[in-house]
Amino acid sequence: MELLNKSLRELHRLIKKKEVKPSEVLRELLNRIDETEDKLNAYITVSREKAEKKAKLADEELVKLSEDEVPELFGIPLSIKDNINVENVRMTCGSKILKDFVSPYDATVIKRLRGKGAIFVGKNNLDEFAMGSSTETSFFGPTRNPWDLERVPGGSSGGSAASVSARSAIASLGSDTGGSIRQPASFCGVVGLKPTYGRVSRYGLTAFASSLDQIGPITKSVEDAAYLLNVIAGQDSKDATSAKVPVPNFLEALNGEVKGLKAGLPREYFVEGVEPEVKEAVLNAVKELEKLGVEVVEVSLPNTKYAVETYYIIAPAEASSNLGRFDGVRYTYRAKDYKDLIDMYKKTRAEGFGDEVKRRIMIGTYTLSAGYYDAYYLKAQKVRTLIYQGFQSVFKEVDFLITPVSPETAFKIGEKSSDPIKMYLSDIFTIAVNLAGLPAISVPCGFDSKGLPIGLQVIGKAFDEETVLKVADAVEKSLSLSLIPSV
Amino acid sequence: MEFEAVIGLEVHAQLLTKTKIFCSCKNEFGAPPNTNVCPVCLGMPGSLPVLNKKAVEYAVKAALALNCKINTYSLFARKHYFYPDLPKAYQITQYELPFAENGWVEIEKSDGTRKRIRIRRIHMEEDAGKTIHGEGLDPNSYVDLNRAGTPLIEIVSEPDISTPEEARLYMQKLRDILVWIGVNDGNLEEGSLRCDANVSIRPKGSKELGTRTEIKNVNSFRFIQKALEYEIKRQIEVVKGGGKVVQETRLFDSGKGITKTMRTKEEAEDYRYFPEPDLPPLIIDKEWLDSIKETLPELPDQVKERFVSDFSLTPYDASILVRDRDLAEFFEKAASSYEGEAKKVANLIISDLLGALNEEKLTISSSPVKPEQVSKLLTLVDKGVISLRVAKEEVIPEMVKSGKEPEAIVKEKGLVQISDEEALKEVIRKVLSQNEKAVKQYKEGNEKQKQKAVKYLIGQVMKETRGKANPKLLNELIPKVLEEV
């Protein structure tokens, strides 16, 4: 398992020096997957043969390459959340309705990673269509938290976070619509970065809420997150919402130079309802930053209190639209017996979607209906603008914000699955970031008394992932936590 | 009580771009089913639309030609409904903020009066695919998504149209303009241009609007008129019978010539429009707009006016020539290279060349006859080398067939006009000897009868010479010879 603990940069060094073969890395990884999957269920699909073939080819090619010809992800096996298209690999989105869907194309992020030599080893479990905060709504069963198998890994990118944490993945890509990268990263004691909306192409990411979705890395370290972001970031002609903004070398931001930076602690994120241990761990990390010369001030984001409500109007509205295409006509599951077209639609979707997805489709369909649109969707968009403006004005004073990722640590499987509202509140500190389109990272900052990891969130200005990564890196290094679960 | 109709049309026009509106698949008619498709137009999970700039340019060009105001800022929206040929279960269209508004076109009615029909808005959208239902014992339905993602503009008129004839003329006018500026191929049978009509009736002179019905898919000029004629009659009968017109969508059955209820207002779908989050707002700034304006050709009405004023054509001839941009250009080139009256050029093209081309299944665009050759041909007539009749009946058909120069044809076929007096006199004498009745009529008749006889004899001489006799000379020589005998 030694290789699986290595950073991407170190693995790359070993491979390009020809000290390690891609097939050796893959073998270790597959062994680890075999060892842990019974307990974790972090993968929906493991592309064993495909990956082995690719690794063998990489072995052969490596011989012909000089050291500096080896691309930075050459022969490194990565895992991908199962709502991102990888050509000729099944993509289920954790749903029965896509259980047999084999993707005909590569997402842009996959193309970019492939271009740097990455190998794709498997597809990670998730809440159905990324709708959830616990990875319990997957048609393929829940993923378990490697720190405590009775608990959820968070969600929706729970499979990604659990596997990276348990070292049954070297690094993974997740997607974040309301916290789906950061909250599971926090629950599993790994790093999860949600880039600025528009920083990474969404082409090939199955849309949940198009105006909120963003792909990002889930990794063992901040450095690995920067390493992957370097490859996947940048404008894409296939995504009209991807931004024409220069992409810096994010690794260079990890220089420890935080002295003189100004941090804001938004009052509204440290209120009652946050577990004391969580608050304590976050504030402890803030102290470490202060020691490094960061100036800390209290700020206020008063509209934060509307974030969850706003989100649960906008996200389901867009979801109800985006999920219409899963209709039984072309590539999805189709109900067996039906009497006409409408009946086919109804039965296919009734049988194909799980409860949480249906709940959101119904909410979204309702809020977009004639007569309700102005009162809900339009109003929510206005509040969204206010939330965005709130961040804008705070960022005139400070360089970044620090908050807890989640008010609590990983909860028990089944604990909230019957109470959607309780589940929705699990994302209370991550949602506003998506509404404002900002970059944010979850980095481990301690453990609670149950031994469960706690995550700290750094929120940055739009397209300032550099500061976010720099600060997270400083937190990580100053705390130097031991973050390998004993699963 | 007398009734009048109030009609508004929604016309969908496909844009002739090389690729589709949101992906790079080919935009063409008639390819094998589901071959011009990709993850985007198939609505695969994760695919995203990217707006085709050319489609915007064509749409703006159309809107400018229809005198619309172009909005700098417009938005795309999603229109939701479930149907197998709509892969995403929503159509990307424009709803609250279309890219063009407040235009108009002018139609000319059969009595010569003109009427301006206002255009409320034009928006851009994507076409759906096609559902084909199995025939006979085949219980299956088939979906072809080649058409899915074809760029469309929807042109919505104000309810300014009062008669089925006006509706037809309006639609024809739109077609003429869109084809003229090169953004649409005008092919109604292939669905390049499709029309939905909204119609209501009210007591003549009333200002209030009646309840309207919408007639879907009236896809030929004839059907527009027929469907509206039927529907207006139906509504009047309903009202006269003491009933009320129900707001509903009706379908035109072209076989029976009637409209039938498709769905009522209660069954109307809620399309749940909302702004398309995958596409940023469409910004058409001044610079872009100006560059599109530069590509806009002179429009048919302007060309027509110019033909009347510069070339002294009758409005009727001019309107025929501007029905097709290639035809207008052909005429203009021919007329400009000809020294005589342009009217002669117009006549020759309209009454002879177009017919001859048609015989050979050719059009003016594929004509082997060049405009300069038409002017050369007329010059030969003016110089007396050949008669106009020979030009029309002998030379033009041969020019169309072979593409040869008129001089060459005249020479090869020996069509040079006979202007030799002695030779003509010889023929006249021969004809007179075979037409004693006419000679007698001339000798004994009054002035009018004399003229009639001469005219008849000219025709006979022409026949004898296969049209080659110089008609002017014949006019002089026939009376002379008649006096001799």
Side-chain angles (χ1 to χ4, degrees), chain A residues 242-404:
Chain A
S242 70
K244 204 175 176 177
V245 173
V247 179
N249 182 347
F250 295 105
L251 284 168
E252 282 173 10
L254 313 182
N255 52 16
E257 290 168 10
V258 293
K259 199 176 169 194
L261 288 180
K262 210 166 163 187
L265 300 186
R267 195 175 301 139
E268 293 78 5
Y269 287 72
F270 293 89
V271 287
E272 251 177 272
V274 182
E275 281 177 11
E277 288 178 325
V278 169
K279 196 166 155 182
E280 203 179 304
V282 172
L283 292 176
N284 176 53
V286 171
K287 279 205 190 90
E288 292 297 320
L289 285 175
E290 277 183 301
K291 281 186 210 159
L292 295 171
V294 172
E295 190 192 335
V296 179
V297 294
E298 195 185 273
V299 294
S300 175
L301 290 163
N303 290 321
T304 298
K305 59 175 177 289
Y306 304 119
V308 174
E309 290 89 333
T310 305
Y311 176 87
Y312 277 99
I313 287 169
I314 291 173
E318 293 182 8
S320 73
S321 171
N322 286 326
L323 270 59
R325 69 189 66 197
F326 306 114
D327 60 3
V329 174
R330 285 146 299 139
Y331 46 77
T332 61
Y333 164 83
R334 183 188 292 180
K336 294 280 165 302
D337 301 304
Y338 47 88
K339 54 178 199 292
D340 56 24
L341 181 65
I342 300 294
D343 197 42
M344 189 281 282
Y345 284 144
K346 284 183 178 168
K347 287 200 170 122
T348 293
R349 290 165 67 83
E351 294 166 17
F353 289 133
D355 287 348
E356 183 58 28
V357 171
K358 282 185 214 165
R359 183 177 297 127
R360 299 202 194 189
I361 290 175
M362 283 194 282
I363 293 171
T365 303
Y366 177 79
T367 57
L368 287 180
S369 301
Y372 297 101
Y373 177 83
D374 288 2
Y376 291 106
Y377 190 79
L378 204 63
K379 186 72 159 277
Q381 286 293 8
K382 286 177 184 163
V383 179
R384 182 178 184 176
T385 305
L386 292 178
I387 289 171
Y388 172 76
Q389 286 166 347
F391 278 109
Q392 289 288 95
S393 71
V394 162
F395 279 128
K396 278 182 200 143
E397 292 172 50
V398 300
D399 299 304
F400 60 92
L401 298 168
I402 287 186
T403 77

Side-chain angles (χ1 to χ4, degrees), chain B residues 56 82 214:
Chain B
V56 178
F82 283 98
E214 181 180 5

Side-chain angles (χ1 to χ4, degrees), chain A residues 16-217:
Chain A
K16 77 177 176 187
K17 296 266 183 212
K18 299 176 177 110
E19 289 172 28
V20 167
K21 282 191 203 165
S23 59
E24 289 169 340
V25 181
L26 181 70
R27 196 174 318 122
E28 249 190 57
L29 179 60
L30 288 172
N31 285 343
R32 181 64 184 156
I33 291 174
D34 288 341
E35 207 173 278
T36 52
E37 266 308 273
D38 279 354
K39 294 176 224 163
L40 297 180
N41 192 33
Y43 285 87
I44 291 173
T45 303
V46 177
S47 313
R48 191 176 297 270
E49 288 78 24
K50 249 183 214 147
E52 279 170 345
K53 225 160 131 189
K54 289 265 163 143
K56 207 171 149 249
L57 283 174
D59 284 357
E60 289 161 16
E61 207 189 329
L62 183 63
V63 183
K64 297 177 223 153
L65 296 175
S66 72
E67 203 183 306
D68 37 328
E69 282 174 331
V70 180
E72 56 258 49
L73 287 168
F74 188 87
I76 299 180
L78 300 175
S79 309
I80 305 296
K81 188 179 183 180
D82 202 22
N83 59 352
I84 297 174
N85 284 273
V86 179
E87 191 178 342
N88 292 328
V89 175
R90 181 168 74 140
M91 181 184 70
T92 69
C93 294
S95 182
K96 180 182 175 187
I97 209 159
L98 284 178
K99 66 184 175 62
D100 300 315
F101 174 71
V102 175
S103 177
Y105 75 106
D106 271 346
T108 295
V109 288
I110 298 302
K111 256 196 188 132
R112 289 186 176 171
L113 294 169
R114 226 188 259 288
K116 298 293 182 189
I119 291 170
F120 300 101
V121 71
K123 304 297 289 292
N124 288 123
N125 201 6
L126 70 161
D127 279 299
E128 187 180 1
F129 285 103
M131 295 177 191
S133 309
S134 66
T135 318
E136 289 169 291
T137 68
S138 169
F139 175 67
F140 299 89
T143 295
R144 289 163 187 276
N145 191 316
W147 294 90
D148 178 349
L149 297 175
E150 298 298 304
R151 292 178 186 270
V152 302
S156 64
S157 312
S160 296
S163 57
V164 170
S165 164
R167 306 305 191 246
S168 63
I170 288 172
S172 181
L173 287 190
S175 69
D176 191 316
T177 306
S180 279
I181 285 176
R182 291 159 288 158
Q183 185 255 22
S186 160
F187 280 16
C188 293
V190 295
V191 171
L193 172 68
K194 183 204 96 73
T196 311
Y197 187 80
R199 177 62 100 179
V200 177
S201 168
R202 291 186 295 118
Y203 186 78
L205 166 66
T206 306
F208 157 17
S210 314
S211 73
L212 302 161
D213 297 340
Q214 191 62 187
I215 294 174

Side-chain angles (χ1 to χ4, degrees), chain B residues 239-364:
Chain B
V239 172
K240 280 195 171 157
K244 269 187 178 162
V245 175
V246 184
Q247 185 175 342
E248 61 184 359
T249 304
R250 300 178 68 86
L251 206 61
F252 180 60
D253 180 337
S254 56
K256 296 188 183 133
I258 62 168
T259 65
K260 290 184 294 196
T261 299
M262 189 172 135
R263 56 170 179 258
T264 60
K265 192 188 172 192
E266 285 69 37
E267 298 163 321
E269 288 181 73
D270 179 352
Y271 293 122
R272 293 181 286 118
Y273 287 98
F274 82 106
E276 167 58 277
D278 287 333
L279 290 169
L282 171 60
I283 308 292
I284 303 167
D285 57 23
K286 195 180 169 298
E287 204 182 325
W288 195 15
L289 185 59
D290 286 344
S291 73
I292 300 168
K293 270 183 191 159
E294 274 169 33
T295 67
L296 199 66
E298 197 183 10
L299 295 173
D301 280 353
Q302 299 162 342
V303 175
K304 183 184 157 189
E305 269 175 41
R306 202 162 49 76
F307 282 180
V308 171
S309 63
D310 294 7
F311 294 110
S312 310
L313 298 190
T314 61
Y316 178 76
D317 282 352
S319 67
I320 292 176
L321 290 173
V322 300
R323 247 178 229 165
D324 179 320
R325 192 163 149 199
D326 289 332
L327 178 59
E329 274 171 15
F330 188 98
F331 162 76
E332 190 154 9
K333 273 191 195 150
S336 309
S337 62
Y338 177 58
E339 284 178 4
E341 283 171 41
K343 201 174 161 7
K344 288 194 204 159
V345 179
N347 282 340
L348 195 71
I349 292 173
I350 293 168
S351 39
D352 303 292
L353 179 60
L354 290 180
L357 287 169
N358 202 26
E359 287 281 284
E360 300 294 318
K361 307 246 176 318
L362 294 167
T363 64
I364 199 76

